[in-house]
Amino acid sequence: MLLPTLDEFRQVLESHTDERVQADYFADLMPPLLTAFEAVMPHKPQSVKLVAPPWSEPALAFEAAWADTRSLVVAARRRPQEGAPVRMTLRRAGQLVQAGGFEYNQVALAVGLCLEHR
């Protein structure tokens, strides 16, 4: 399976926006998701796809998966009044390994830390 380039991933995100993610939300969500995508790619995932975000409010999320059964879900929402705007969940064989909330400016570092966890 061919993995998308950064531009192709951006296009996928743009095409996925709907009535739940309006233009002003989209402008806030794009930078952290693109940063996370760029941070994931050096780890050579087997696949990258959009998935449902963990919140009922407007948000976007993607999952990167590896042949060794690891998967990382990165979800972004507009800055909430409480909690973090970005959530990452690392699983191995479907079992939770690590999860956490992060600020937009912590995304690249957080991806690296999550994926170093073996």
Side-chain angles (χ1 to χ4, degrees):
M1 172 186 229
L2 290 176
L3 295 172
T5 65
L6 181 62
D7 286 336
E8 290 168 340
F9 186 68
R10 181 190 324 265
Q11 290 172 358
V12 168
L13 287 173
E14 289 172 352
S15 69
H16 189 70
T17 60
D18 57 21
E19 66 278 353
R20 290 195 55 206
V21 184
Q22 299 166 350
D24 57 337
Y25 274 77
F26 182 73
D28 289 344
L29 303 181
M30 183 68 90
L33 288 173
L34 292 176
T35 298
F37 177 81
E38 287 181 303
V40 162
M41 294 313 286
H43 296 273
K44 298 180 170 69
Q46 189 174 26
S47 66
V48 175
K49 65 181 181 179
L50 295 183
V51 295
W55 307 290
S56 59
E57 65 195 81
L60 290 171
F62 76 90
E63 176 185 62
W66 288 264
D68 67 359
T69 72
R70 284 181 305 153
S71 66
L72 177 68
V73 173
V74 179
R77 61 182 172 170
R78 239 182 177 179
R79 292 188 188 278
Q81 289 184 350
E82 292 183 20
V86 177
R87 179 153 181 84
M88 293 187 202
T89 306
L90 179 66
R91 295 183 183 279
R92 181 181 291 278
Q95 299 297 313
L96 181 65
V97 173
Q98 188 174 2
F102 304 93
E103 293 298 323
Y104 292 153
N105 64 351
Q106 299 172 317
V107 169
L109 178 62
V111 166
L113 292 173
C114 281
L115 293 177
E116 285 177 9
H117 193 281
R118 300 252 176 197

